[in-house]
mmCIF file of all heavy atoms in Angstrom:
data_model
loop_
_atom_site.group_PDB
_atom_site.id
_atom_site.type_symbol
_atom_site.label_atom_id
_atom_site.label_comp_id
_atom_site.label_asym_id
_atom_site.label_seq_id
_atom_site.Cartn_x
_atom_site.Cartn_y
_atom_site.Cartn_z
ATOM 1 N N ASP A 229 72.375 216.022 11.274
ATOM 2 C CA ASP A 229 71.332 215.869 10.252
ATOM 3 C C ASP A 229 71.570 216.808 9.081
ATOM 4 O O ASP A 229 71.339 216.440 7.911
ATOM 5 C CB ASP A 229 69.953 216.145 10.861
ATOM 6 C CG ASP A 229 69.526 215.089 11.873
ATOM 7 O OD1 ASP A 229 70.114 213.981 11.860
ATOM 8 O OD2 ASP A 229 68.615 215.373 12.671
ATOM 9 N N ILE A 230 72.025 218.021 9.374
ATOM 10 C CA ILE A 230 72.254 219.008 8.313
ATOM 11 C C ILE A 230 73.412 218.588 7.419
ATOM 12 O O ILE A 230 73.281 218.538 6.190
ATOM 13 C CB ILE A 230 72.511 220.401 8.914
ATOM 14 C CG1 ILE A 230 71.257 220.932 9.621
ATOM 15 C CG2 ILE A 230 72.954 221.393 7.828
ATOM 16 C CD1 ILE A 230 71.484 222.187 10.440
ATOM 17 N N ILE A 231 74.573 218.304 8.013
ATOM 18 C CA ILE A 231 75.766 218.080 7.193
ATOM 19 C C ILE A 231 75.698 216.789 6.390
ATOM 20 O O ILE A 231 76.385 216.657 5.377
ATOM 21 C CB ILE A 231 77.062 218.116 8.030
ATOM 22 C CG1 ILE A 231 77.097 216.983 9.054
ATOM 23 C CG2 ILE A 231 77.234 219.474 8.699
ATOM 24 C CD1 ILE A 231 78.431 216.870 9.787
ATOM 25 N N GLN A 232 74.867 215.822 6.816
ATOM 26 C CA GLN A 232 74.795 214.575 6.057
ATOM 27 C C GLN A 232 73.657 214.574 5.033
ATOM 28 O O GLN A 232 73.440 213.585 4.337
ATOM 29 C CB GLN A 232 74.649 213.380 6.998
ATOM 30 C CG GLN A 232 73.335 213.303 7.757
ATOM 31 C CD GLN A 232 73.304 212.117 8.714
ATOM 32 O OE1 GLN A 232 74.266 211.348 8.817
ATOM 33 N NE2 GLN A 232 72.186 211.954 9.397
ATOM 34 N N SER A 233 72.962 215.707 4.901
ATOM 35 C CA SER A 233 71.866 215.801 3.939
ATOM 36 C C SER A 233 72.384 215.935 2.514
ATOM 37 O O SER A 233 73.326 216.688 2.252
ATOM 38 C CB SER A 233 70.975 216.998 4.265
ATOM 39 O OG SER A 233 70.380 216.864 5.543
ATOM 40 N N ASP A 234 71.747 215.225 1.589
ATOM 41 C CA ASP A 234 72.081 215.368 0.170
ATOM 42 C C ASP A 234 71.499 216.647 -0.399
ATOM 43 O O ASP A 234 72.045 217.224 -1.347
ATOM 44 C CB ASP A 234 71.545 214.174 -0.616
ATOM 45 C CG ASP A 234 72.241 212.868 -0.233
ATOM 46 O OD1 ASP A 234 73.433 212.920 0.136
ATOM 47 O OD2 ASP A 234 71.587 211.814 -0.280
ATOM 48 N N SER A 235 70.386 217.093 0.157
ATOM 49 C CA SER A 235 69.756 218.343 -0.247
ATOM 50 C C SER A 235 68.702 218.707 0.793
ATOM 51 O O SER A 235 68.363 217.890 1.665
ATOM 52 C CB SER A 235 69.102 218.225 -1.633
ATOM 53 O OG SER A 235 67.999 217.332 -1.587
ATOM 54 N N TYR A 236 68.208 219.927 0.699
ATOM 55 C CA TYR A 236 67.162 220.379 1.615
ATOM 56 C C TYR A 236 66.244 221.332 0.863
ATOM 57 O O TYR A 236 66.711 222.210 0.122
ATOM 58 C CB TYR A 236 67.769 221.098 2.823
ATOM 59 C CG TYR A 236 66.743 221.591 3.817
ATOM 60 C CD1 TYR A 236 66.179 220.719 4.749
ATOM 61 C CD2 TYR A 236 66.328 222.924 3.824
ATOM 62 C CE1 TYR A 236 65.236 221.162 5.665
ATOM 63 C CE2 TYR A 236 65.386 223.371 4.739
ATOM 64 C CZ TYR A 236 64.837 222.480 5.656
ATOM 65 O OH TYR A 236 63.898 222.924 6.554
ATOM 66 N N THR A 237 64.946 221.151 1.040
ATOM 67 C CA THR A 237 63.956 222.011 0.408
ATOM 68 C C THR A 237 63.296 222.890 1.459
ATOM 69 O O THR A 237 62.689 222.383 2.410
ATOM 70 C CB THR A 237 62.884 221.191 -0.326
ATOM 71 O OG1 THR A 237 63.517 220.355 -1.308
ATOM 72 C CG2 THR A 237 61.878 222.111 -1.006
ATOM 73 N N ALA A 238 63.453 224.200 1.310
ATOM 74 C CA ALA A 238 62.875 225.169 2.246
ATOM 75 C C ALA A 238 61.616 225.773 1.636
ATOM 76 O O ALA A 238 61.579 226.086 0.443
ATOM 77 C CB ALA A 238 63.876 226.269 2.558
ATOM 78 N N SER A 239 60.598 225.941 2.471
ATOM 79 C CA SER A 239 59.368 226.615 2.047
ATOM 80 C C SER A 239 59.430 228.063 2.522
ATOM 81 O O SER A 239 59.513 228.322 3.730
ATOM 82 C CB SER A 239 58.145 225.913 2.643
ATOM 83 O OG SER A 239 56.950 226.576 2.274
ATOM 84 N N VAL A 240 59.411 228.988 1.566
ATOM 85 C CA VAL A 240 59.608 230.407 1.880
ATOM 86 C C VAL A 240 58.362 231.198 1.492
ATOM 87 O O VAL A 240 57.887 231.105 0.348
ATOM 88 C CB VAL A 240 60.831 230.964 1.125
ATOM 89 C CG1 VAL A 240 61.050 232.438 1.457
ATOM 90 C CG2 VAL A 240 62.075 230.141 1.446
ATOM 91 N N THR A 241 57.831 231.964 2.450
ATOM 92 C CA THR A 241 56.701 232.840 2.181
ATOM 93 C C THR A 241 57.227 234.216 1.803
ATOM 94 O O THR A 241 57.914 234.863 2.597
ATOM 95 C CB THR A 241 55.774 232.948 3.405
ATOM 96 O OG1 THR A 241 55.297 231.641 3.754
ATOM 97 C CG2 THR A 241 54.580 233.850 3.100
ATOM 98 N N ARG A 242 56.938 234.651 0.590
ATOM 99 C CA ARG A 242 57.410 235.935 0.099
ATOM 100 C C ARG A 242 56.629 237.078 0.735
ATOM 101 O O ARG A 242 55.583 236.878 1.364
ATOM 102 C CB ARG A 242 57.274 236.010 -1.422
ATOM 103 C CG ARG A 242 58.108 235.005 -2.195
ATOM 104 C CD ARG A 242 59.608 235.259 -2.030
ATOM 105 N NE ARG A 242 60.403 234.514 -3.010
ATOM 106 C CZ ARG A 242 61.708 234.465 -3.026
ATOM 107 N NH1 ARG A 242 62.409 235.119 -2.108
ATOM 108 N NH2 ARG A 242 62.355 233.772 -3.942
ATOM 109 N N ALA A 243 57.160 238.289 0.577
ATOM 110 C CA ALA A 243 56.529 239.473 1.162
ATOM 111 C C ALA A 243 55.113 239.676 0.636
ATOM 112 O O ALA A 243 54.247 240.222 1.337
ATOM 113 C CB ALA A 243 57.378 240.707 0.887
ATOM 114 N N ASP A 244 54.823 239.222 -0.589
ATOM 115 C CA ASP A 244 53.487 239.392 -1.161
ATOM 116 C C ASP A 244 52.535 238.267 -0.775
ATOM 117 O O ASP A 244 51.397 238.211 -1.265
ATOM 118 C CB ASP A 244 53.569 239.516 -2.685
ATOM 119 C CG ASP A 244 54.144 238.264 -3.350
ATOM 120 O OD1 ASP A 244 54.411 237.268 -2.642
ATOM 121 O OD2 ASP A 244 54.337 238.287 -4.581
ATOM 122 N N GLY A 245 53.004 237.332 0.076
ATOM 123 C CA GLY A 245 52.162 236.236 0.532
ATOM 124 C C GLY A 245 52.288 234.963 -0.270
ATOM 125 O O GLY A 245 51.784 233.908 0.149
ATOM 126 N N SER A 246 52.927 235.010 -1.401
ATOM 127 C CA SER A 246 53.124 233.796 -2.199
ATOM 128 C C SER A 246 54.154 232.892 -1.531
ATOM 129 O O SER A 246 54.992 233.352 -0.748
ATOM 130 C CB SER A 246 53.577 234.155 -3.614
ATOM 131 O OG SER A 246 54.833 234.824 -3.584
ATOM 132 N N VAL A 247 54.067 231.607 -1.845
ATOM 133 C CA VAL A 247 54.976 230.625 -1.244
ATOM 134 C C VAL A 247 55.822 230.003 -2.343
ATOM 135 O O VAL A 247 55.317 229.612 -3.404
ATOM 136 C CB VAL A 247 54.194 229.533 -0.495
ATOM 137 C CG1 VAL A 247 55.156 228.485 0.070
ATOM 138 C CG2 VAL A 247 53.362 230.145 0.629
ATOM 139 N N THR A 248 57.125 229.930 -2.102
ATOM 140 C CA THR A 248 58.036 229.318 -3.065
ATOM 141 C C THR A 248 58.927 228.313 -2.349
ATOM 142 O O THR A 248 59.118 228.390 -1.124
ATOM 143 C CB THR A 248 58.912 230.385 -3.762
ATOM 144 O OG1 THR A 248 59.660 229.776 -4.804
ATOM 145 C CG2 THR A 248 59.869 231.035 -2.767
ATOM 146 N N GLU A 249 59.447 227.362 -3.096
ATOM 147 C CA GLU A 249 60.361 226.376 -2.539
ATOM 148 C C GLU A 249 61.769 226.627 -3.062
ATOM 149 O O GLU A 249 61.959 226.927 -4.240
ATOM 150 C CB GLU A 249 59.919 224.958 -2.890
ATOM 151 C CG GLU A 249 58.652 224.532 -2.163
ATOM 152 C CD GLU A 249 58.320 223.068 -2.398
ATOM 153 O OE1 GLU A 249 58.866 222.474 -3.370
ATOM 154 O OE2 GLU A 249 57.535 222.518 -1.618
ATOM 155 N N MET A 250 62.730 226.505 -2.147
ATOM 156 C CA MET A 250 64.135 226.653 -2.511
ATOM 157 C C MET A 250 64.868 225.360 -2.160
ATOM 158 O O MET A 250 64.682 224.813 -1.066
ATOM 159 C CB MET A 250 64.776 227.819 -1.758
ATOM 160 C CG MET A 250 64.231 229.172 -2.148
ATOM 161 S SD MET A 250 65.128 230.498 -1.282
ATOM 162 C CE MET A 250 64.447 231.936 -2.109
ATOM 163 N N VAL A 251 65.678 224.871 -3.084
ATOM 164 C CA VAL A 251 66.434 223.642 -2.870
ATOM 165 C C VAL A 251 67.911 223.989 -2.708
ATOM 166 O O VAL A 251 68.496 224.660 -3.561
ATOM 167 C CB VAL A 251 66.249 222.660 -4.045
ATOM 168 C CG1 VAL A 251 67.065 221.391 -3.797
ATOM 169 C CG2 VAL A 251 64.771 222.320 -4.234
ATOM 170 N N TRP A 252 68.482 223.529 -1.588
ATOM 171 C CA TRP A 252 69.886 223.803 -1.292
ATOM 172 C C TRP A 252 70.652 222.496 -1.177
ATOM 173 O O TRP A 252 70.173 221.527 -0.578
ATOM 174 C CB TRP A 252 69.994 224.610 0.003
ATOM 175 C CG TRP A 252 69.311 225.947 -0.085
ATOM 176 C CD1 TRP A 252 69.322 226.797 -1.151
ATOM 177 C CD2 TRP A 252 68.487 226.560 0.905
ATOM 178 N NE1 TRP A 252 68.586 227.923 -0.881
ATOM 179 C CE2 TRP A 252 68.051 227.824 0.376
ATOM 180 C CE3 TRP A 252 68.081 226.220 2.190
ATOM 181 C CZ2 TRP A 252 67.238 228.694 1.084
ATOM 182 C CZ3 TRP A 252 67.267 227.083 2.905
ATOM 183 C CH2 TRP A 252 66.853 228.314 2.350
ATOM 184 N N GLU A 253 71.866 222.473 -1.729
ATOM 185 C CA GLU A 253 72.684 221.268 -1.745
ATOM 186 C C GLU A 253 74.072 221.549 -1.188
ATOM 187 O O GLU A 253 74.534 222.696 -1.199
ATOM 188 C CB GLU A 253 72.802 220.740 -3.189
ATOM 189 C CG GLU A 253 71.462 220.347 -3.785
ATOM 190 C CD GLU A 253 71.588 219.886 -5.219
ATOM 191 O OE1 GLU A 253 72.634 220.181 -5.849
ATOM 192 O OE2 GLU A 253 70.646 219.242 -5.719
ATOM 193 N N PRO A 254 74.771 220.500 -0.724
ATOM 194 C CA PRO A 254 76.115 220.694 -0.170
ATOM 195 C C PRO A 254 77.084 221.237 -1.217
ATOM 196 O O PRO A 254 76.970 220.914 -2.409
ATOM 197 C CB PRO A 254 76.531 219.285 0.270
ATOM 198 C CG PRO A 254 75.264 218.510 0.368
ATOM 199 C CD PRO A 254 74.330 219.101 -0.635
ATOM 200 N N THR A 255 78.041 222.019 -0.772
ATOM 201 C CA THR A 255 79.001 222.620 -1.696
ATOM 202 C C THR A 255 80.304 221.837 -1.808
ATOM 203 O O THR A 255 81.108 222.123 -2.708
ATOM 204 C CB THR A 255 79.341 224.059 -1.243
ATOM 205 O OG1 THR A 255 79.798 224.026 0.118
ATOM 206 C CG2 THR A 255 78.120 224.963 -1.337
ATOM 207 N N HIS A 256 80.550 220.851 -0.925
ATOM 208 C CA HIS A 256 81.835 220.132 -1.034
ATOM 209 C C HIS A 256 81.776 219.118 -2.170
ATOM 210 O O HIS A 256 80.726 218.554 -2.508
ATOM 211 C CB HIS A 256 82.236 219.504 0.304
ATOM 212 C CG HIS A 256 81.357 218.373 0.776
ATOM 213 N ND1 HIS A 256 81.544 217.079 0.335
ATOM 214 C CD2 HIS A 256 80.319 218.342 1.654
ATOM 215 C CE1 HIS A 256 80.653 216.284 0.926
ATOM 216 N NE2 HIS A 256 79.899 217.030 1.729
ATOM 217 N N PHE A 257 82.923 218.904 -2.791
ATOM 218 C CA PHE A 257 83.014 218.114 -4.018
ATOM 219 C C PHE A 257 82.751 216.626 -3.801
ATOM 220 O O PHE A 257 82.407 215.912 -4.758
ATOM 221 C CB PHE A 257 84.377 218.309 -4.679
ATOM 222 C CG PHE A 257 84.515 219.601 -5.431
ATOM 223 C CD1 PHE A 257 83.522 220.580 -5.373
ATOM 224 C CD2 PHE A 257 85.653 219.853 -6.203
ATOM 225 C CE1 PHE A 257 83.653 221.777 -6.071
ATOM 226 C CE2 PHE A 257 85.781 221.051 -6.912
ATOM 227 C CZ PHE A 257 84.782 222.011 -6.845
ATOM 228 N N TYR A 258 82.931 216.118 -2.583
ATOM 229 C CA TYR A 258 82.634 214.709 -2.343
ATOM 230 C C TYR A 258 81.131 214.463 -2.495
ATOM 231 O O TYR A 258 80.717 213.416 -2.993
ATOM 232 C CB TYR A 258 83.095 214.286 -0.949
ATOM 233 C CG TYR A 258 84.587 214.338 -0.747
ATOM 234 C CD1 TYR A 258 85.136 215.069 0.306
ATOM 235 C CD2 TYR A 258 85.461 213.656 -1.592
ATOM 236 C CE1 TYR A 258 86.507 215.126 0.511
ATOM 237 C CE2 TYR A 258 86.832 213.704 -1.407
ATOM 238 C CZ TYR A 258 87.351 214.446 -0.349
ATOM 239 O OH TYR A 258 88.708 214.497 -0.156
ATOM 240 N N ALA A 259 80.328 215.425 -2.069
ATOM 241 C CA ALA A 259 78.881 215.277 -2.171
ATOM 242 C C ALA A 259 78.408 215.396 -3.616
ATOM 243 O O ALA A 259 77.494 214.693 -4.052
ATOM 244 C CB ALA A 259 78.181 216.328 -1.303
#
């Protein structure tokens, strides 16, 4: 599931309690 994903959005709770989203994408050139 991970390696075939086009991207992934993570929900991250910061130390101050705020919530931010991070988007990660594959690094290989075919993707």
Side-chain angles (χ1 to χ4, degrees):
D229 292 342
I230 294 170
I231 64 173
Q232 67 183 0
S233 298
D234 294 329
S235 67
Y236 180 80
T237 302
S239 178
V240 181
T241 301
R242 297 294 194 186
D244 62 4
S246 63
V247 177
T248 187
E249 290 187 343
M250 293 184 172
V251 179
W252 298 320
E253 298 178 342
T255 55
H256 68 84
F257 282 7
Y258 295 125

